[in-house]
Amino acid sequence: MRIFKLFIGSLLVFMMILCGTLPCFAEETSYVWSPNGNSIHHNENTNFNTNTDTKDEEVEETNSEVSQNNSLSLESGAAILIEQTTGQVLYSHNIHEPLHPASVTKVMSILLIMEALDSGKIALTDAVPCSENAASMGGSQIWLDPRETLTVDEMLKAICVNSANDCVVAMSEFLAGSEEAFVQMMNDRAKQLGMNDTTFKNCHGLDEDGHVTSAYDISLMSRELLNHHPSVTNYTTIWMDSLRGGKSGLSNTNKLIKTYKGATGLKTGSTSLALYNLSASATRDDLSLIAVIMKAPSTKVRFSEAQKLLDYGFNTFSFKQFGKKDDVVKSISVDKGVTSSVDVILKDNAGTLIQKGKDKKIEQSLSLEETISAPVIAGQKVR
């Protein structure tokens, strides 16, 4: 009897381990979408929402077996592929290993600049001065002169296209008063995004003890930047341009912008310690992907392996769009209200990631209350 109990216990443990490592892709003949998988909100008049965001940590854990065996035989030290809209992890290799990010650091710097722009704190036309400190930066730069000023628009172009260290330091001082204060903002924002493998020591990415992040964390800040500040692609997709009335040429350090169909960015980086890094993003047929490569042995490998990840994603998955942000999905009655009904709209783009070939097996369903009682306030959730 004791041996039998031990056998049953061992069998149960094995079954639990097996269930915990299966991929998260459904095998059923249909996919059903409801508000439980997407966010709906109301506009400034009389709409309201259901908010049930999926946690990235859960998605990553569910999909961990898909990629940890490095099935694509990547040479790089770490890599990750995520779907941009949902954050779902599609491929991962050493994704939490703290590594030197080099200029991919600037993804966070650019995020803070875009947040300041979109909040109205600064404007593209604002003049940004150059300090002696900013002008003294080494590495990639446009040779700022302490006597000159550039607009925020010009600074962003130099940072996104040419990876200009002098410009990102000038912007950090412009926004926060000092680079040190700006780096604190970077670390605070990283904490908010759940970037637990990250410590920033500077805003440009030149090698410094303790300045580290991971492929996973880079995917988090890249996703935040692209999802919430899509206008950044006006800069990250520039192949060649110029500043100072055509006197200073700019050439994008990310060659995928020219060679890869649907490329939207995002940022390269390389130093003697970091080797070759890249956060590469692309969109095709409503499917947006972000591939992060860290510690590639050469720039050629960096780009080829990012392309390999993106190709894998586009060849294997598709994104089924159910609706776009602010689309009206239903009108429901208001009991004892000033108005008789309100429109429920999507808070964000709504859709699901599926394996290719299963898009015809999707069934869409929406479950919302038919009536809601007054008063109705902005941001109210529909159950």
Side-chain angles (χ1 to χ4, degrees), residues 212-225:
V212 294
T213 188
S214 65
Y216 179 70
D217 284 4
I218 290 173
S219 76
L220 289 183
M221 62 180 178
S222 298
R223 179 183 175 227
E224 180 74 10
L225 176 59

Side-chain angles (χ1 to χ4, degrees), residues 14 21 41 48 73 76 95-96 121 124 156 165 167 172-173 194 208 214 231 241 268 304 317 339 355 361 374:
F14 173 78
T21 58
H41 86 134
F48 35 100
S73 301
S76 301
I95 63 173
H96 288 295
K121 181 179 178 180
L124 288 173
L156 263 175
N165 294 331
C167 290
S172 73
E173 294 170 341
E208 189 170 340
S214 65
S231 61
D241 209 322
T268 61
S304 66
F317 306 98
T339 59
Q355 289 172 295
K361 300 176 182 180

Side-chain angles (χ1 to χ4, degrees), residues 107-138:
V107 172
M108 178 58 79
S109 300
I110 296 166
L111 173 60
L112 293 181
I113 294 169
M114 294 303 299
E115 288 178 341
L117 274 169
D118 290 347
S119 68
K121 181 179 178 180
I122 61 174
L124 288 173
T125 55
D126 287 349
V128 181
C130 172
S131 67
E132 292 283 354
N133 178 49
S136 69
M137 288 297 109

